[in-house]
Amino acid sequence: MPALEFIKEPITADIARYEEFLRTSLRSGNSLTEAMLDYIFESRGKALRPVLSLLTASVYAGGRPLGDRSLLAAMLVEMMHTASLVHDDVIDESDLRRGKPSVKAVWKSRSAVLIGDYILAKSYGIGMKTGHYDIVDCTVDAMTNMCDGELLQSEHSGKFDLTREVYDRIIYRKTACLIGVSACTGAMSVDAGVEAVELMRRFGDSLGMAFQIKDDILDYHPSSETGKTPCADIREGKINLPFLLVLERAPEEVRERMRRLMETASADDNAAQELSRLITSNGGIELATGEMDGYIRAALDILSTLPPSRYRESLEALCPYITKRSH
């Protein structure tokens, strides 16, 4: 069975109920809004965050069917992520998302910003009206972290002052935090208890750090499915983990060459490609892979403390799935 199908198999019925809950919850009656939502829903990708939320809820549900509280938790983490991608494409002036025209490309920037805002306001409004304040509070905290992480990355863009400590803070806030929240709000949604929620938070955080490092690695050989330009981070002045690990270890002449290439990479395709080759040939991909694997081992160690179940098997399968993905 393909990995993603195996991961989703024990929550197939819950996913179907979630899809109906999602579409019903976000409807507006406005034809343009409906058309944009339909386009976004059809282009959602693998939906790993809501799957993670539903799986962790099922781990602690004791065999009980998942209720609307769990479906809400899954919706909030997915729609936060979805809205952030719509907004990112406006900020980055990107016309592609997952190999298809972005929302910004189809409806222009103004409408793209507004539909992202609509998704956030509508989904969080439902959370507030239904009184699930603990889940709303947890996910809003993740939104704050995501924005702060992006701003921190912008602050260091194009500079060579990035330390490993700052890098870890950036990727935790912009990526790992929401994956951690996806896991812990699943447990929270079935009232699993403080210790279980914290355990799933740590599991999700480790998974999220590995997820972002894999994204960093894919920047050096993206697939056509990503819609990303090769070496996109380099062209945008972002120092990702393979870059940073080479920069920390390379002799001074290599470091100086990297600095000079980075200064022109945004406008010079040859400079971007040469810098990419320099990072690859100096072991950047292998070093970053080692770091990613360390986070995956930490995630699996946490899962080993859970009672055996089909849901735990899916969570365990999610770990190598993240490291082996091509987009």
Side-chain angles (χ1 to χ4, degrees):
M1 182 180 290
L4 193 55
E5 290 181 24
F6 176 83
I7 290 164
K8 292 180 176 181
E9 189 272 333
I11 55 169
T12 300
D14 294 312
I15 290 173
R17 290 175 51 234
Y18 167 70
E19 291 294 330
E20 180 62 26
F21 178 86
L22 175 64
R23 291 177 180 272
T24 301
S25 297
L26 265 65
R27 289 306 179 198
S28 76
N30 177 287
S31 60
L32 177 58
T33 304
E34 297 286 339
M36 296 181 78
L37 287 173
D38 285 342
Y39 187 82
I40 289 167
F41 289 158
E42 289 166 5
S43 310
R44 278 159 54 213
K46 298 177 288 293
L48 292 180
R49 289 160 189 81
V51 167
L52 175 58
S53 184
L54 294 172
L55 280 171
T56 55
S58 298
V59 164
Y60 292 102
R64 305 187 312 271
L66 298 183
D68 283 356
R69 181 169 158 86
S70 296
L71 304 183
L72 172 71
M75 181 180 76
L76 292 183
V77 294
E78 183 177 21
M79 290 302 99
M80 182 186 298
H81 178 63
T82 298
S84 74
L85 295 181
V86 172
H87 286 162
D88 281 351
D89 289 338
V90 174
I91 294 168
D92 298 337
E93 299 183 351
S94 176
D95 289 335
L96 283 178
R97 168 65 59 182
R98 300 190 180 103
K100 293 179 59 178
S102 64
V103 174
K104 171 256 180 190
V106 177
W107 282 282
K108 308 305 179 188
S109 295
R110 181 179 182 275
S111 293
V113 170
L114 290 171
I115 195 65
D117 291 348
Y118 173 87
I119 288 169
L120 289 173
K122 186 77 170 180
S123 55
Y124 281 88
I126 292 166
M128 294 298 289
K129 287 175 184 176
T130 53
H132 300 295
Y133 304 123
D134 53 345
I135 294 176
V136 172
D137 180 63
C138 190
T139 51
V140 167
D141 184 59
M143 188 187 305
T144 303
N145 272 311
M146 289 169 65
C147 296
D148 190 54
E150 291 288 352
L151 288 168
L152 186 59
Q153 185 170 63
S154 294
E155 180 184 352
H156 290 273
S157 180
K159 300 177 183 177
F160 275 71
D161 62 349
L162 187 69
T163 64
R164 182 58 191 272
E165 180 184 1
V166 174
Y167 169 84
D168 286 345
R169 193 157 71 237
I170 289 170
I171 71 165
Y172 173 74
R173 292 181 181 180
K174 65 175 282 191
T175 300
C177 179
L178 183 57
I179 294 177
V181 165
S182 300
C184 77
T185 53
M188 187 185 295
S189 73
V190 293
D191 303 318
V194 174
E195 290 184 3
V197 169
E198 179 55 31
L199 188 72
M200 288 298 96
R201 163 83 80 160
R202 290 194 288 111
F203 162 70
D205 285 350
S206 294
L207 201 64
M209 295 293 281
F211 186 96
Q212 181 57 54
I213 293 171
K214 180 63 175 183
D215 267 5
D216 286 3
I217 293 168
L218 287 173
D219 192 60
Y220 294 87
H221 43 80
S223 73
S224 60
E225 295 173 85
T226 65
K228 288 179 64 177
T229 303
C231 314
D233 286 350
I234 289 173
R235 296 169 198 274
E236 294 170 15
K238 297 175 183 175
I239 295 180
N240 55 31
L241 189 59
F243 191 130
L244 181 60
L245 292 174
V246 171
L247 196 63
E248 288 176 342
R249 292 163 171 79
E252 184 55 37
E253 61 269 20
V254 174
R255 292 164 56 89
E256 184 56 35
R257 180 63 180 155
M258 291 171 72
R259 288 189 186 93
R260 290 199 302 270
L261 289 169
M262 191 67 164
E263 289 173 358
T264 58
S266 62
D268 184 346
D269 186 62
N270 289 331
Q273 291 188 29
E274 183 179 347
L275 182 52
S276 177
R277 287 192 295 269
L278 196 59
I279 292 164
T280 302
S281 64
N282 279 273
I285 303 304
E286 291 78 11
L287 290 166
T289 299
E291 299 273 343
M292 176 183 68
D293 290 343
Y295 283 113
I296 290 297
R297 285 193 297 272
L300 288 169
D301 284 346
I302 291 169
L303 292 179
S304 71
T305 67
L306 299 176
S309 71
R310 180 62 184 83
Y311 306 114
R312 175 180 139 176
E313 289 178 12
S314 283
L315 290 172
E316 289 170 337
L318 188 57
C319 294
Y321 179 82
I322 280 175
T323 66
K324 291 177 171 59
R325 64 195 170 92
S326 60
H327 59 285

